Amino acid sequence: DKTPEELQQVVKFARDRGVQHFLCVCVSVKEFAEMTEKVGHFEDVSVSCGVHPLHQEDACDYDTLLSVATDPKVVAIGETGLDYFYSADTKAVQITSFIDHIKVANQLYKPLIIHTRDARQDTIDLLKQYKNDQTNGVLHCFTESLEMAEQAIELGFYISISGIVTFHSAKELQDVVRAIPLERLLIETDSPW
């Protein structure tokens, strides 16, 4: 939680170093209004809206998500997805939420920001079953297999990697990244992590 002055300094610092546009990713629809109040006045900051799979206590229904996602500042749906590593006990709720996010993205023609961890097959299967041909997006902070990356790319998605790829323990991920076509590869900072 930054004060308005601190936030202005952070944005200025980044701009001074060549950052031209920012995406503020929402992980809880219930916090969307507060987030947009903080960043809405910045012309170079867009927002997304969604419910992160580890925030299912803040899950919302399809209609609520759709209503929030129609805000003109919203350029993407998510963060959404499935995380069975940290929260397998909420699997059923995560799946329902992910399907709702996919359907909202379909309806509004907005890309998805997908988090997936230890849920490779379910993530791909749900995308194949529910996304339409126009819906695409990014599997962000990707740490999964080459097979999953290839399937996601085939579905029209980009693969985004974070600083995790630099870890000594990330040899398998490094091999995956080497095999991903450059035109489908993004790099990101998952700030503040």
Side-chain angles (χ1 to χ4, degrees):
D1 285 322
K2 301 245 180 251
T3 67
E5 295 78 22
E6 290 171 326
L7 188 55
Q8 182 67 44
Q9 289 173 346
V10 167
V11 171
K12 181 183 180 323
F13 183 84
R15 286 178 184 147
D16 290 347
R17 281 146 186 84
V19 176
Q20 297 176 4
H21 200 90
F22 306 84
L23 176 60
C24 195
V25 177
C26 180
V27 295
S28 168
V29 169
K30 127 177 146 178
E31 296 173 356
F32 179 79
E34 180 184 349
M35 180 187 78
T36 56
E37 184 179 315
K38 289 180 180 179
V39 301
H41 64 282
F42 294 110
E43 289 184 21
D44 53 355
V45 177
S46 298
V47 298
S48 72
C49 73
V51 179
H52 190 285
L54 297 180
H55 293 267
Q56 291 307 308
E57 69 279 1
D58 298 332
C60 63
D61 63 18
Y62 172 86
D63 292 328
T64 302
L65 180 63
L66 179 63
S67 174
V68 173
T70 59
D71 183 305
K73 234 148 126 110
V74 173
V75 298
I77 307 302
E79 185 168 340
T80 184
L82 304 172
D83 190 318
Y84 300 163
F85 181 80
Y86 284 115
S87 198
D89 57 317
T90 62
K91 179 178 178 177
V93 177
Q94 288 183 51
I95 289 171
T96 299
S97 178
F98 188 34
I99 292 168
D100 284 347
H101 283 73
I102 296 168
K103 289 179 177 179
V104 167
N106 290 341
Q107 184 170 343
L108 298 178
Y109 303 101
K110 294 184 180 183
L112 288 159
I113 302 170
I114 298 174
H115 168 104
T116 184
R117 188 156 186 203
D118 284 0
R120 295 173 183 172
Q121 198 59 55
D122 283 353
T123 299
I124 294 298
D125 288 348
L126 291 170
L127 287 171
K128 285 179 178 178
Q129 184 175 354
Y130 290 99
K131 84 167 208 68
N132 65 29
D133 290 341
Q134 291 78 39
T135 300
N136 57 27
V138 60
L139 272 66
H140 106 99
C141 201
F142 189 80
T143 57
E144 300 295 338
S145 69
L146 178 58
E147 179 185 7
M148 183 181 193
E150 290 170 340
Q151 290 176 317
I153 290 168
E154 195 173 301
L155 290 169
F157 286 82
Y158 289 86
I159 305 300
S160 184
I161 57 164
S162 69
I164 293 171
V165 76
T166 66
F167 295 179
H168 291 292
S169 60
K171 299 297 182 202
E172 182 180 341
L173 179 59
Q174 292 164 9
D175 291 340
V176 168
V177 170
R178 283 186 196 95
I180 295 173
L182 288 178
E183 65 272 11
R184 302 309 288 182
L185 186 63
L186 303 172
I187 57 170
E188 67 178 275
T189 173
D190 197 13
S191 180
W193 295 277

